[in-house]
Amino acid sequence: MKIVIGIVIAVIVLLFVGWIGLQIDPRPFPSYPETAPKPERVPLREGLPAPVERFYWALYGDEVPAIESAVITG
């Protein structure tokens, strides 16, 4: 009987601590300090599906930016 009561109390404590943790808003990350350099441009690759090729032609023309890395914040 003591084991069951101990398990029930442990579950209640864990649920309470979890609920308290969800009430605290986290601090936002600081803004990325560097400005992004102009990306290198490369020719549009051959063999893309027609809708993809039309999209890139409409958005970028015959050269697309070569993106090598990204910074994700949020």
Side-chain angles (χ1 to χ4, degrees):
M1 185 69 169
K2 285 184 176 183
I3 294 175
V4 173
I5 292 174
I7 292 173
V8 169
I9 290 174
V11 168
I12 290 172
V13 167
L14 285 174
L15 287 173
F16 180 73
V17 169
W19 179 79
I20 292 291
L22 291 173
Q23 303 307 309
I24 300 170
D25 290 330
R27 285 182 297 144
F29 289 115
S31 297
Y32 191 67
E34 296 181 23
T35 58
K38 275 200 151 234
E40 176 188 347
R41 297 184 70 83
V42 295
L44 191 60
R45 194 171 71 177
E46 296 291 326
L48 293 172
V52 174
E53 188 172 351
R54 282 194 309 267
F55 171 78
Y56 279 116
W57 272 98
L59 193 61
Y60 297 113
D62 60 344
E63 291 188 338
V64 295
I67 299 172
E68 297 175 2
S69 65
V71 174
I72 300 173
T73 62

